[in-house]
Amino acid sequence: MKTIGFIGLGIMGKPMAKNLLKAGYDLTVHDIIPERMSDLAAAGAKTATCGKEVAAASEVVITMLPNSPQVKQAVLGPGGVLEGARPGLILIDMSSIAPAAAREIAARCAERGVAMLDAPVSGGEPKAVQGTLAIMAGGPEDVYEKVKDILGAMGSSVIRIGEIGSGNLAKLANQIIVALNIAAMSEAMVLAAKAGADAETVYQAIRGGLAGSAVLEAKMPMVLAGNFKPGFRIELHIKDLMNAIETAHEVGVPVPLTSGVMEILQALKVAGRAQDDHSGLIQFYEDLAKIQVRR
Ligand code: NAD
């Protein structure tokens, strides 16, 4: 499988698509914002005006879009992937969407002879650039085997969880852990700073102990610099926690901590901070305590 289509060239999609080009795949790209395609075109990708055109040129189509409605539009909608797909095409949706939506889209694809994996990612923009994302896939094992080298060009950890939708179940678990970690870091560091300790020194002192984490390493330097440029936008984390809460309630799992952090993110959205990186969650605590945690 050498010809790949890539739809959605945002913060994550653009570097992921670049890594596929570097790995030698023949790439056709599309984004509804045409300027987002120019870097890829300069690097050797062909451009397309819609998902249908992408599918007609490709054996495998990857989507990296904000949420379920955009994936449904790009795949099932007018001018979408299914209109241009030949039977045997493989669709890999790498967006973070609701597991139920992934199953619904896969069922519609199957009617047209198109197989689908859901394969969301974790690691953010830096790991997308390095090609070291953690990729969690769901879908038929034989389909996964056919495309796992393609996934390996974008990630350093590629694991099939189970059937379609299970990639996004793993991603929901990931997003709960990340959100709660950022909230814990924020609560703790605002306390330390307001009580009189130097925040950077506290960070240096605790990062090698049990409180150390990938979240602390990625997000604490951003907080200390007061740099909340995304990265991963608060509005996208709200979307993920919404999907997590809905999925949890569907299967009968109460998620009190996730719901609490969701309300913090909602407050930040009302305050006009939905476009900030999710490390900007700390501003909720900073506003309450009337102090800033900075270098
Ligand atoms: P983004 O908003 O930067 O990029 C999305 C891109 O999709 C944009 O360029 C947009 O123009 C394009 N798009 C939207 N609708 C489209 C359509 N119908 N057809 C074609 N293109 C369309 O978002 P992102 O940060 O790259 O995130 C993409 C997905 O990856 C989301 O599901 C997000 O939750 C997930 N994710 C993001 C990060 C991160 O750190 N940013 C990390 C892991 C996972």
Side-chain angles (χ1 to χ4, degrees), residues 20 41 49 53 64 71 73 75 85 96-97 101 104 149 155 162 166 196 198 206-207 214 223 255 267 276:
L20 292 172
T49 56
E53 214 178 299
M64 191 55 170
V71 180
Q73 190 194 358
V75 175
S96 308
I97 69 172
E104 188 190 324
D149 288 350
S166 62
D198 174 66
I206 67 176
R207 60 194 287 221
V223 168
V255 282
D276 283 2

Side-chain angles (χ1 to χ4, degrees), residues 56-251:
S58 309
E59 296 163 286
V60 174
V61 172
I62 295 173
T63 43
M64 191 55 170
L65 300 164
N67 196 11
S68 323
Q70 291 82 11
V71 180
K72 284 182 184 169
Q73 190 194 358
V75 175
L76 312 174
V81 170
L82 280 193
E83 285 187 4
R86 285 158 294 192
L89 182 97
I90 296 175
L91 170 70
I92 313 175
D93 178 37
M94 302 190 74
S95 330
S96 308
I97 69 172
R103 290 191 285 267
E104 188 190 324
I105 296 164
R108 294 279 303 278
C109 287
E111 291 166 6
R112 299 286 301 268
V114 171
M116 175 176 163
L117 300 178
D118 64 323
V121 309
S122 180
E125 188 184 17
K127 293 197 173 205
V129 173
Q130 291 156 16
T132 56
L133 290 165
I135 300 175
M136 39 212 102
E141 192 155 14
D142 58 325
V143 178
Y144 171 77
E145 288 300 324
K146 283 186 197 156
V147 299
K148 73 176 185 208
D149 288 350
I150 295 173
L151 297 175
M154 296 177 281
S156 54
S157 160
V158 184
I159 293 182
R160 178 180 172 268
I161 312 292
E163 294 310 321
I164 184 76
S166 62
N168 274 295
L169 284 176
K171 177 66 182 177
L172 291 183
N174 183 91
Q175 290 307 81
I176 290 174
I177 292 170
V178 171
L180 268 54
N181 259 276
I182 295 175
M185 175 190 94
S186 301
E187 194 163 300
M189 295 308 289
V190 167
L191 164 63
K194 187 152 187 190
D198 174 66
E200 176 145 33
T201 311
V202 173
Y203 163 55
Q204 294 300 344
I206 67 176
R207 60 194 287 221
L210 196 52
S213 69
V215 165
L216 196 73
E217 291 307 312
K219 301 302 172 186
M220 203 52 214
M222 294 179 76
V223 168
L224 289 169
N227 167 23
F228 301 121
K229 178 176 172 286
F232 187 70
R233 296 190 301 277
I234 283 173
E235 70 172 1
L236 286 178
H237 219 142
I238 287 176
K239 172 263 303 183
D240 287 339
L241 295 192
M242 185 70 84
N243 287 337
I245 291 167
E246 278 177 13
T247 304
H249 292 172
E250 274 162 27
V251 298

